Amino acid sequence: DTAVSQTPKYLVTQMGNDKSIKCEQNLGHDTMYWYKQDSKKFLKIMFSYNNKELIINETVPNRFSPKSPDKAHLNLHINSLELGDSAVYFCASSQVGGQGVYGYTFGSGTRLTVV
Amino acid sequence: GQSLEQPSEVTAVEGAIVQINCTYQTSGFYGLSWYQQHDGGAPTFLSYNALDGLEETGRFSSFLSRSDSYGYLLLQELQMKDSASYFCAVRDMGFKTIFGAGTRLFVKA
């Protein structure tokens, strides 16, 4: 199946732990993103990579570190997890660094719960 | 600052037509998009307008007026499965796409 796939789908962890979310796309897109969706469903951009180069780095705590080993993969590592990090994290990809007529393709999301 | 404004909720009956408005204020503008998200699901792309006017895709249409910084999504022949959240999104300068807070559409039988 052609898609954006991210793992895990659910993540429950204790405060202070370190966790990673992985994302892969097989659509041949050159740009990937991490978005955070809070409990009020507000989608906020966190990071974006274009061909492995970081092009967007929003005001995000430096506990969050993205890594893109190649243009098909974008992972998110979170250190010292806090209660406020609980949210759904979406990976997305697009072609030519923007939305264009084809838009973003989102992964199914990772629901992170910090207890 | 950058902002997109859309109604928080809209309710309509099956078979009706509903319009979801979006006004935006962003630094630069490279097009207005619309996404649909069902509860527990991922946002899915519906439409994109870069130029003024109406774009039609099946039961869904999207309109843009750049001079008014305004657009809308029009859903016709509403079905129960259209109950979802709808987000407008604008790509500003620097590859950043900003999403509105979403409009929750309730379709009643």
Side-chain angles (χ1 to χ4, degrees), chain B residues 18-90:
Chain B
V18 72
Q19 178 175 314
I20 299 173
N21 298 322
C22 175
T23 57
Y24 58 87
Q25 182 179 357
T26 56
S27 56
F29 177 81
Y30 289 93
L32 179 73
S33 290
W34 289 91
Y35 288 79
Q36 178 192 61
Q37 185 180 27
H38 287 98
D39 285 345
T44 56
F45 174 73
L46 292 177
S47 68
Y48 172 73
N49 295 68
L51 302 175
D52 291 351
L54 190 69
E55 295 281 344
E56 297 180 67
T57 309
R59 294 187 297 116
F60 293 2
S61 303
S62 56
F63 172 82
L64 174 65
S65 169
R66 288 174 296 169
S67 61
D68 295 322
S69 298
Y70 163 77
Y72 65 72
L73 179 70
L74 191 74
L75 296 85
Q76 301 181 71
E77 301 171 19
L78 277 174
Q79 302 175 8
M80 297 297 288
K81 67 177 182 179
D82 297 329
S83 293
S85 293
Y86 292 83
F87 296 86
C88 59
V90 169

Side-chain angles (χ1 to χ4, degrees), chain A residues 36-87:
Chain A
K36 177 180 180 180
Q37 187 169 47
D38 61 23
S39 58
K40 294 184 179 177
K41 304 204 86 173
F42 185 65
L43 274 162
K44 186 171 174 11
I45 180 80
M46 299 174 70
F47 302 102
S48 177
Y49 273 76
N50 178 259
N51 281 321
K52 302 193 297 176
E53 180 184 347
L54 181 66
I55 58 172
I56 295 174
N57 185 353
E58 284 297 282
T59 308
V60 176
N62 57 16
R63 297 182 295 104
F64 291 78
S65 52
K67 279 205 178 112
S68 182
D70 55 62
K71 73 173 190 175
H73 295 84
L74 179 61
N75 304 322
L76 183 66
H77 188 76
I78 316 170
N79 290 325
S80 304
L81 277 155
E82 300 177 357
L83 292 176
D85 298 331
S86 295

